[in-house]
Every structure is written in structure tokens, then in C-alpha cells.
Amino acid sequence: MFSTRVTALLAPNRFARALAAHRAGGRPLIDLTESNPTRAGFDYPRDLLAPLADARALRYDPHPFGSIDARTAVAKEYARHGLTIAPQRIVLTASTSDAYSMLFKLLADAGDEVLVPRPSYPLFDHLTRLDLASARPYDLEYHGTWTLDLASVERALTPRTRAALIVSPNNPTGSFVSRAEIDGLAARCAPRAIAIIADEVFADYELEEGSAGRAGRVSARRDVLSFALGGFSKSIGLPQVKLGWIAVTGPDRLVESALERLEVICDAYLAVSTPVQVAAEDLLNRGAGIRHQIAERVKANYRHLQSAAASAPACTVLRSDGGWYAVLQVPSLESEEDLVVGLLQSENVVVHPGYFFDFARESFLVVSLLPPPAAFADGIARVLRRFRTP
Ligand SMILES: Cc1ncc(COP(=O)(O)O)c(C=O)c1O
């Protein structure tokens, strides 16, 4: 009866079962996987969302790409990053995940392929599959810093490749994609009519000074059809407000053809609410305070992690240039699954195992840098003491 877009329901794995049992037992827990900024103790002014009640939203006057005022407000966000994008080339969506779905519908037929980074955010398999496409990995490699392995991109290309996806900075490696890497990617994509999709949701969060400035931005180029993605969920810490966007750039002729088709797709759904469009500019201005708090918090927790790990020589913090996550390489004394279940049961701390993100080998732990500093420091101390030699 049901489509195969949704994977057959899988039984929860051992880690998920252990976590559910821990929570059900009411045991204490330090959650170093927290990705939801609204649960991480930031100061959200009580009236922050007041602009959503603007009476202008009482009138419904839909446009497939959203109101020009809201798109202009998003264009100003790009200007803040030194990028000039015409509001007419900005498409509003309900979230970044929604933007992915619009783009897969635009670019891929059933069975087509999208190149995705590995390691990366585990949602891509799922999102491509829901649109009948499939994700093919290319590799990011670590040697003191992460680089995009262009040879692995070449190997992953097939006649069915329709898009190459980059995440900059990436979740969880924290690596920005450099200008030279985008050059390499564009040189391989443009001649084959492959578009680049650049997920830049964490672009505001720099962990290592100067790294955001050195990053490449697809929106600055005209040689390859590109789609840059952003949204409220990360840029101002408001995932519940549901506003994302796509900035379309590249050769004019291709941009125009893409926009014509996107208009048909977006018109079929009209997924973005009027109140959020009316409030967009105001919320982007008010949200700067939340962004600032998050940026300071993730930097401070990253620095703390580096200094705490210095006293545990068996553990290494991988360089993370930006974003909300950090990666800890730890000795492989047991499987990652045994390790994370052990940390949960004996230390009351939850971290993500590297295999969730498809790291090439074990053992890596991924931690969120969002938790309040005291809880973060306590959680990290519990993780590290497992590897400290007496
Ligand atoms: C790299 C990346 N892209 C997109 C998203 C989803 O963002 P949204 O809430 O706008 O759908 C996430 C969420 O964690 C993410 O890590």
C-alpha cells in the first residue's frame, strides 16, 4: 500500500534504546547532543516574536517566492556578508529541509543522484530518498584541517549526477569549503550541467578566527548554477518560526530557467506563512542578539574543549573552523557504540558516535557546542576521564 520513499520502519538501535531507558528511569543526564538552541539556556526576550502579530498579515496575498519585502530583508543578510544578491533571486521556503525538497524536485528525476559530503549530517540520505533521488558520498579528509577530496568527487560522478551538495561550515566537521575547492567543484560541475547546492546555515558561526573570511561562497560566482541555503533556524536561533531561503546565482540564462521552474514548484505548495513574511525584516534585526549569544557560547565551549582535552593526551580535538559542533578523536579501546552506551550508563552523559555521521573509521565522538558552559564543562570532564591514564 505504501511507497518505498519512507524506509521500512527500523527498530531503534542499541544506543537509542539505552537512551530511552535512561530517560524513562528519570536518571540525570548531561546532553552533549543538544542541537535545539531554544533548549540551551539562551536569553530569548519574551516579546521577541511580537512582529508575528502584525495586522498586515491579516491579508493573504501569496507569491510563490514570498513577499518582495521579506526577500529584500534576506538579501540584506547576504549584504552583511559582503555578497550582492538581487531580492528577485531569493526564494523563501518553510525551512532548509523544505528548500532541499524544492531543489530536488527542480533538479532530479527518480533515480538521479546528488553528491553529498562524508562525514556529514545524516539527514541527506533521507531527504534525497523522499524525493526519489539518492545520495552518493564524496570524501572530506582530515590532516590537521579538513579538505574536500576532489578525486573522490570525480569517482562519485555518474551520468545521473544532478547536483553536488556542500555544507559550509559542515555539520559536524566544522569545515568551511574554500574558494579553491569551490573552483575545483565548479570546474567539474558546470560542463556536466550539474548544479551546486551550498548549505550555509552555519555561515555566521566562526570558531577559528579568520576562517569564515577565507571560505568560498557560491553566491559570489557566475560560472555555475548554484543554490545557497540559509534560514532562521541557525542564523537567529529560531527553528520554530520556520523560515528558510534559497539564493539562486550563476549564468543568467540558467538562473532564469531555474527560477521559472521553481516558481511552478513553490506555487504548488505556498508553504511559507504570511505572518513570518511580514515579520521577516524585524525578526532578522531582533534576532541578531540571539545570534551573538550563540556565537559567543559555541566559541567559549570550543576553547574549553581544547584546553580540557590538552590534559587527556590520548584524545584530540579536531580543528573545527565554524558551526555548532566539535569532533573529538578518542582511542579505539571498544566500539563507538559500546563507548557511547558506556558513557551514558556510567557517566550520565550523552554524545554522538562518529558513525552517525559516516566517519571513515572509528573512534570519534561528536559534541554540540550549544549547552550552557557549566553543563558542557561537566559533560566533557566525564567523557575525558574515561581516557585518562591513572
Ligand atoms: C547542515 C544542516 N542543514 C540544515 C539543517 C536543517 O535546518 P532547518 O531547521 O532550516 O530545516 C540542519 C539542522 O541541524 C543542519 O545541520
Side-chain angles (χ1 to χ4, degrees):
M1 178 182 280
F2 301 112
S3 81
T4 54
R5 294 167 191 237
V6 184
T7 34
L9 294 177
L10 298 172
N13 62 25
R14 188 174 141 229
F15 176 51
R17 285 198 309 274
L19 187 55
H22 195 95
R23 289 203 159 109
R27 312 244 311 270
L29 187 66
I30 297 178
D31 187 354
L32 296 185
T33 67
E34 185 58 83
S35 290
N36 180 345
T38 69
R39 286 199 302 234
F42 294 108
D43 178 22
Y44 285 85
R46 288 192 64 79
D47 65 348
L48 182 67
L49 300 183
L52 288 170
D54 191 310
R56 285 175 295 164
L58 290 171
R59 182 184 163 86
Y60 185 43
D61 191 10
H63 184 285
F65 291 160
S67 74
I68 197 67
D69 288 353
R71 292 155 73 200
T72 303
V74 172
K76 280 195 205 145
E77 287 295 287
Y78 284 92
R80 189 166 58 77
H81 285 247
L83 296 161
T84 306
I85 307 204
Q88 291 74 13
R89 293 185 169 198
I90 290 182
V91 175
L92 302 185
T93 61
S95 65
T96 320
S97 302
D98 185 44
Y100 277 120
S101 180
M102 300 293 125
L103 292 176
F104 297 153
K105 288 174 172 61
L106 172 72
L107 299 166
D109 284 315
D112 282 343
E113 295 165 2
V114 177
L115 305 190
V116 300
R118 174 176 61 192
S120 196
Y121 180 52
L123 202 67
F124 298 134
D125 264 337
H126 201 55
L127 288 178
T128 46
R129 189 184 171 121
L130 285 172
D131 274 301
L132 297 177
S134 61
R136 264 178 81 79
Y138 65 85
D139 295 315
L140 303 181
E141 294 205 330
Y142 190 75
H143 22 137
T145 174
W146 289 94
T147 55
L148 193 160
D149 178 6
L150 286 166
S152 75
V153 170
E154 296 264 2
R155 288 194 297 275
L157 288 169
T158 76
R160 306 236 36 188
T161 312
R162 293 291 172 263
L165 207 155
I166 56 178
V167 186
S168 182
N170 187 34
N171 170 2
T173 60
S175 44
F176 282 94
V177 180
S178 71
R179 285 189 201 100
E181 288 166 340
I182 297 185
D183 284 345
L185 209 55
R188 285 158 182 83
C189 290
R192 294 176 170 91
I194 296 172
I196 298 181
I197 300 175
D199 182 330
E200 298 174 344
V201 295
F202 293 112
D204 283 306
Y205 301 98
E206 178 183 83
L207 295 169
E208 291 281 0
E209 196 153 341
S211 52
R214 287 191 297 275
R217 299 294 291 258
V218 290
S219 310
R221 37 197 325 147
R222 295 179 61 101
D223 56 341
V224 60
L225 181 63
S226 304
F227 303 92
L229 310 186
F232 275 14
S233 123
K234 309 295 187 283
S235 81
I236 50 172
L238 290 175
Q240 76 277 39
V241 175
K242 308 307 291 180
L243 187 73
W245 55 80
I246 306 170
V248 188
T249 51
D252 287 338
R253 195 182 46 79
L254 282 179
V255 170
E256 277 150 28
S257 304
L259 286 171
E260 271 167 26
R261 288 165 174 78
L262 269 176
E263 187 164 342
V264 177
I265 300 168
C266 294
D267 197 34
Y269 295 93
L270 295 173
V272 186
S273 83
T274 300
V276 79
Q277 295 182 50
V278 168
E281 178 166 20
D282 226 356
L283 290 178
L284 282 166
N285 292 333
R286 290 164 166 243
I290 311 289
R291 171 167 58 244
H292 184 71
Q293 290 180 58
I294 298 176
E296 293 304 307
R297 166 90 56 89
V298 292
K299 258 191 278 188
N301 280 343
Y302 177 61
R303 298 274 167 261
H304 174 81
L305 176 62
Q306 286 176 314
S307 64
S311 65
C315 303
T316 310
V317 180
L318 304 196
R319 182 188 164 104
S320 192
D321 284 327
W324 291 0
Y325 303 93
V327 181
L328 194 61
Q329 183 167 16
V330 298
S332 296
L333 307 173
E334 57 194 326
S335 73
E336 278 178 357
E337 185 168 68
D338 286 344
L339 172 58
V340 293
V341 171
L343 283 167
L344 173 68
Q345 292 174 339
S346 60
E347 301 287 351
N348 295 326
V349 62
V350 58
V351 294
H352 272 142
Y355 75 81
F356 267 25
F357 304 87
D358 229 356
F359 277 68
R361 58 194 165 77
E362 301 207 345
S363 294
F364 297 93
L365 299 176
V366 173
V367 295
S368 166
L369 299 170
L370 285 184
F376 183 79
D378 189 1
I380 291 300
R382 289 161 190 250
V383 172
L384 292 176
R385 73 183 173 211
R386 200 159 172 112
F387 301 102
R388 205 162 275 135
T389 37

